[in-house]
């Protein structure tokens, strides 16, 4: 698309209109979007077209449409984080990520559905109803960035942005057959990213190819004085890495703890085949041991709820958002209690209560304190593993896309879906999921996860591009071309 | 097996400023046993001498220069307010009648 735009074969206005038409056609079934900003998108597209025809130098992605997860603020555009407590709120400022994509001339089509405050793995926890997986509308697209992943997978947008606190970019990318990257913690500014768990949250790109994803990653990353945890240093050239397609001599570590038992047979089979492909391309495959990973899920479900119980205290019905029960004589406290009861969904309440418990005096050391120590052990496991290998790999999720409602009454089963993605977040490193094929038993996409040390994001793209090129030539096209047709017109 | 009673959940909900229906209290209490058992696995590991990690990267306090920067106008700041009065956020009564 970027090529066609720069050669003048298509205008951004045409491209944007085509995607708006596609959204009108298929989104009633997929429900990826919470808000479509057709007017804003076409205005931005016309501006880029004018700049191009005036011969101005523009970014390679200028004029390319994008879907934005509803967790990032965009000035004047409704932003809800999938929650009723923010219904109707229009932010007064752009998040840094939005400023950067606007500066690059990227066209924002609208805001995508998500699990409320990014708490979930299926997008079923949205206050505005679930998103449906374009591969099989009876199944979830994963979550929490399920709307963004489904939009890219259903050709409603070529690019999208999500956020990843425990796997919320990589898992939906895996379940919808696309590419998704969680960058190194601190590489992408969190200014204007509505906080769930501040020490784990990170926004990142989705695309249908490794190179598309790299181009968007490159736009998003960079130091930001508005985020005190933003890294101030030299950022890796992910675009050059995505063009390398070469793994000769690289060492690839398979994490013993993240495969085998508990992984669906079709998932394991596609993972094993991808490993053979990498070996045939000249990579050396080694096995690495990360014994503390067994406790990662438990540590995550203490750390994230603890941080969220504190972060979500800001929704107090005083300065913005919903206010309930504000009748004559009602106290601020009773208004707060009533607003938070009707504004928050079930999963959000469950995590706030769990976090409040884990941080309460008498339990702090046993729960939150222990979880933080497990976090140290996980970082040490990674350090040892990365001494033996350039990148580490695993299946992204233990299963393919599950049915809507299948796990929504069983929090533990739902949480288990994040078992392979969570260690990356706890250690603050980076990870990618890319399509590894379809599982034999259900013909649904399987994700292959690549992990690299902090600020070594380029390695993800180098290995990812090599594996993608080999698999695409084997399949005779991108995996996404095998997805069932949706809608009527195209 | 760990467990939380309905009253424990009610106490936590009050601390978290969330009003909850009786049904919700009972249902959360019944789920908490399983969830607490799952997360209590962090206590199975010998953690003697292990330093806690609160943040994935070594960070120091970051200061910015003490210069005035553009900020929101009162109209912008109040644009999302549930209620306003005389260019201020109007909030429900904070102090009790007796005070």
């Amino acid at each position: 698309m970027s090529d066609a735009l720069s050669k003048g074969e298509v205008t951004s206005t045409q491209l944007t209109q085509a995607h708006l038409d596609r959204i009108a056609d298929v989104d009633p079934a997929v429900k990826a979007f919470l808000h479509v900003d057709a007017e804003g998108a076409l205005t931005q597209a016309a501006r880029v077209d004018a700049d191009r025809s005036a011969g101005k130098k523009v970014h390679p992605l200028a004029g390319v449409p994008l879907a934005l997860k509803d967790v990032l603020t965009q000035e004047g555009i409704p932003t809800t984080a999938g929650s009723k407590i923010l219904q109707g709120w229009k932010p007064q400022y752009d998040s840094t990520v939005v400023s950067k994509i606007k500066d690059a001339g990227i066209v924002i089509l609208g805001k995508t559905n998500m699990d409320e405050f990014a708490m979930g793995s299926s997008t079923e926890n949205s206050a505005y109803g679930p998103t449906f997986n374009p591969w099989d509308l009876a199944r979830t697209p994963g979550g929490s960035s399920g709307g963004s992943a489904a939009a890219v997978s259903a050709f409603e947008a070529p690019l999208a942005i999500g956020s990843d606190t425990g796997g919320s970019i990589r898992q939906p990318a895996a379940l919808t057959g696309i590419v998704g990257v969680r960058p190194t913690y601190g590489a992408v500014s969190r200014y204007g990213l509505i906080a769930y768990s501040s020490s784990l949250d990170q926004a990142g790109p989705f695309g249908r190819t490794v190179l598309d994803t790299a181009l968007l990653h490159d736009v998003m990353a960079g130091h930001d004085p508005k985020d005190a945890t933003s890294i101030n240093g030299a950022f890796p050239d992910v675009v050059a890495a995505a063009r390398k397609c070469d793994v000769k001599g690289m060492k690839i570590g398979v994490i013993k703890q993240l495969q085998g038992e508990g992984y669906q047979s079709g998932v394991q089979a596609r993972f094993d085949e991808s490993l053979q492909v990498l070996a045939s391309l000249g990579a050396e495959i080694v096995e690495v041991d990360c014994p503390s990973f067994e406790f990662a899920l438990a540590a995550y479900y203490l750390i994230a709820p603890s941080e969220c119980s504190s972060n979500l205290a800001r929704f107090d019905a005083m300065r913005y958002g919903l206010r309930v029960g504000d009748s004559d004589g009602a106290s601020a406290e009773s208004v707060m209690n009533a607003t938070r009861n009707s504004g928050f969904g079930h999963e959000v309440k469950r995590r706030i209560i769990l976090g409040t418990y884990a941080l309460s005096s008498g339990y702090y050391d046993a729960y939150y304190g222990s979880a933080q120590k497990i976090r140290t052990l996980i970082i040490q496991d990674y350090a040892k593993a990365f001494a033996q290998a350039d990148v580490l790999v695993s299946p992204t999720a233990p299963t393919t896309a599950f049915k809507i409602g299948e796990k929504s009454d069983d929090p533990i089963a739902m949480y288990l879906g994040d078992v392979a993605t969570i260690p990356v977040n706890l250690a603050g490193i980076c990870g990618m999921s890319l399509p590894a094929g379809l599982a034999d038993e259900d013909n649904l996409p399987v994700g292959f996860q690549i992990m690299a040390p902090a600020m070594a994001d380029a390695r993800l793209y180098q290995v990812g591009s090599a594996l993608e090129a080999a698999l695409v030539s084997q399949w005779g096209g991108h995996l996404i071309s095998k997805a069932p047709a949706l809608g009527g017109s195209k | 097996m760990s467990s939380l009673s309905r009253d424990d959940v009610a106490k936590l909900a009050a601390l978290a400023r969330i009003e909850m229906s009786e049904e919700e209290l009972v249902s959360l209490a019944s789920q908490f046993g399983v969830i607490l058992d799952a997360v209590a696995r962090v206590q199975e590991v010998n953690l003697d001498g292990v330093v806690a990690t609160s943040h994935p990267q070594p960070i120091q306090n970051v200061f910015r220069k003490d210069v005035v920067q553009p900020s929101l106008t009162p109209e912008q700041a109040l644009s999302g307010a549930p209620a306003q009065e005389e260019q201020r956020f109007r909030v429900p009564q904070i102090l009790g009648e007796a005070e």
Side-chain angles (χ1 to χ4, degrees):
Chain A
M1 270 178 214
S2 168
D3 269 359
L5 279 167
S6 61
K7 285 181 193 146
E9 293 162 8
V10 66
T11 65
S12 174
T13 304
Q14 290 168 336
L15 205 55
T16 302
Q17 189 56 56
H19 282 93
L20 290 169
D21 292 347
R22 174 72 176 169
I23 292 170
D25 192 22
V26 304
D27 213 51
V30 176
K31 296 202 187 302
F33 284 86
L34 290 176
H35 178 82
V36 177
D37 179 23
E39 199 191 319
L42 288 167
T43 307
Q44 168 76 336
R47 199 178 299 143
V48 174
D49 286 338
D51 283 352
R52 267 215 172 86
S53 53
K56 278 193 199 158
K57 198 173 157 32
V58 296
H59 189 275
L61 289 182
V64 175
L66 170 142
L68 182 66
K69 186 176 182 181
D70 204 25
V71 74
L72 284 150
T73 62
Q74 181 183 355
E75 189 183 345
I77 301 294
T79 298
T80 68
S83 180
K84 263 200 257 173
I85 211 158
L86 280 177
Q87 193 160 29
W89 180 60
K90 289 183 183 168
Q92 298 89 341
Y93 66 101
D94 280 337
S95 50
T96 297
V97 167
V98 166
S99 303
K100 280 173 171 282
I101 56 179
K102 281 183 175 173
D103 287 348
I106 294 170
V107 173
I108 304 174
L109 294 168
K111 309 296 291 284
T112 57
N113 198 16
M114 55 186 282
D115 285 300
E116 186 176 2
F117 289 110
M119 298 178 201
S121 314
S122 69
T123 319
E124 290 169 286
N125 294 334
S126 167
Y128 305 98
T131 295
F132 301 90
N133 192 321
W135 288 79
D136 176 354
L137 294 170
R139 293 172 191 266
T140 87
S144 65
S145 314
S148 285
V152 173
S153 172
F155 290 84
E156 295 174 89
L159 296 171
I161 287 175
S163 67
D164 191 315
T165 304
S168 284
I169 291 176
R170 290 160 289 155
Q171 183 255 20
L175 270 45
T176 58
I178 62 170
V179 181
V181 169
R182 175 210 141 89
T184 296
Y185 182 87
V188 175
S189 170
R190 289 185 297 111
Y191 179 74
L193 172 76
I194 297 172
Y196 157 27
S197 180
S198 307
S199 79
L200 305 167
D201 294 341
Q202 187 68 191
F206 286 105
R208 284 192 286 265
T209 69
V210 171
L211 181 59
D212 287 356
T213 311
L215 287 163
L216 181 56
H217 184 133
D218 188 54
V219 173
M220 298 172 71
H223 177 246
D224 178 16
K226 289 174 178 164
D227 174 359
T229 59
S230 162
I231 294 172
N232 196 352
F235 284 82
D237 188 343
V238 291
V239 176
R243 292 200 165 105
K244 260 189 196 158
C245 299
D246 181 16
V247 288
K248 256 187 223 84
M250 284 184 88
K251 277 192 178 169
I252 294 178
V254 180
I255 300 175
K256 206 166 98 182
Q257 282 76 10
L258 298 183
Q259 54 169 330
E261 200 191 333
Y263 288 79
Q264 191 180 319
S265 67
V267 169
Q268 187 69 43
R270 293 295 90 82
F271 174 73
D272 292 342
E273 283 167 18
S274 299
L275 277 182
Q276 285 163 19
V277 169
L278 286 168
S280 74
L281 295 172
E284 186 189 340
I285 312 290
V286 295
E287 190 176 75
V288 297
D289 193 19
C290 294
S292 304
F293 282 22
E294 198 191 330
F295 305 99
L297 199 67
Y300 174 87
Y301 278 99
L302 286 166
I303 290 169
S306 296
E307 292 188 13
C308 103
S309 71
S310 164
N311 270 325
L312 269 60
R314 64 174 55 109
F315 300 103
D316 57 5
M318 298 298 135
R319 292 148 300 150
Y320 51 86
L322 188 71
R323 182 183 284 184
V324 171
D326 187 10
S327 55
D328 266 352
S331 71
E333 193 177 325
S334 72
V335 169
M336 242 178 249
N337 284 333
T339 304
R340 288 163 66 81
N341 177 39
S342 41
F344 289 144
H346 202 65
E347 181 66 24
V348 172
K349 289 180 189 170
R350 184 151 57 204
R351 292 198 195 184
I352 292 177
I353 299 293
L354 179 59
T356 306
Y357 179 71
L359 291 177
S360 56
S361 70
Y363 299 100
Y364 181 96
D365 287 338
Y367 288 104
Y368 185 66
S370 300
Q372 287 188 308
K373 290 178 182 173
I374 300 278
R375 198 168 178 178
T376 305
L377 297 180
I378 286 164
I379 292 172
Q380 290 169 353
D381 275 0
Y382 268 126
K384 279 183 217 145
F386 283 126
Q388 297 166 261
D390 299 300
V391 295
L392 304 175
V393 295
S394 77
T396 309
T399 68
T400 55
F402 42 94
K403 293 222 165 71
I404 304 255
E406 188 181 325
K407 298 184 185 178
S408 45
D409 292 332
D410 185 351
I412 297 295
M414 188 71 94
Y415 298 169
L416 271 171
D418 303 331
V419 69
T421 46
I422 275 173
V424 162
N425 301 73
L426 291 172
I429 63 170
C430 56
M432 168 188 280
S433 178
L434 77 158
L438 301 177
D440 295 324
E441 55 272 26
D442 51 24
N443 259 329
L444 290 167
V446 173
F448 184 86
Q449 180 177 225
I450 309 169
M451 294 158 263
M455 291 302 267
D457 306 49
R459 286 186 209 166
L460 305 176
Y461 288 97
Q462 188 178 343
V463 175
S465 62
L467 178 60
E468 178 186 62
L471 289 174
V472 165
S473 94
Q474 205 179 82
W475 298 330
H478 280 275
L479 189 72
I480 195 74
S481 61
K482 297 190 175 144
L486 286 166
S489 59
K490 274 173 237 164
Chain B
M1 164 114 184
S2 338
S3 69
L4 277 187
S5 70
R6 175 241 170 251
D7 291 351
D8 293 333
V9 177
K11 198 178 151 209
L12 291 165
L15 286 171
R17 300 279 184 274
I18 303 175
E19 190 180 293
M20 275 194 196
S21 66
E22 189 56 37
E23 193 189 345
E24 219 169 354
L25 289 175
V26 172
S27 115
L28 262 184
S30 74
Q31 288 165 356
F32 256 89
V34 197
I35 296 176
L36 286 181
D37 279 344
V39 296
R41 292 207 61 205
V42 296
Q43 295 156 11
E44 290 172 20
V45 192
N46 178 7
L47 295 169
D48 292 346
V50 178
V51 181
T53 298
S54 61
H55 199 272
Q57 272 163 22
I59 46 166
Q60 292 154 357
N61 203 3
V62 180
F63 294 100
R64 73 165 169 83
K65 290 216 173 78
D66 188 15
V67 247
V68 179
Q69 297 198 347
S71 60
L72 300 179
T73 63
E75 289 72 29
Q76 286 173 323
L78 286 164
S79 63
Q84 51 175 298
E85 211 174 289
E86 295 173 28
Q87 225 182 62
R88 297 185 181 96
F89 294 99
R90 192 186 68 70
V91 300
Q93 188 179 331
I94 292 170
L95 302 173
E97 290 285 340
E99 290 153 293

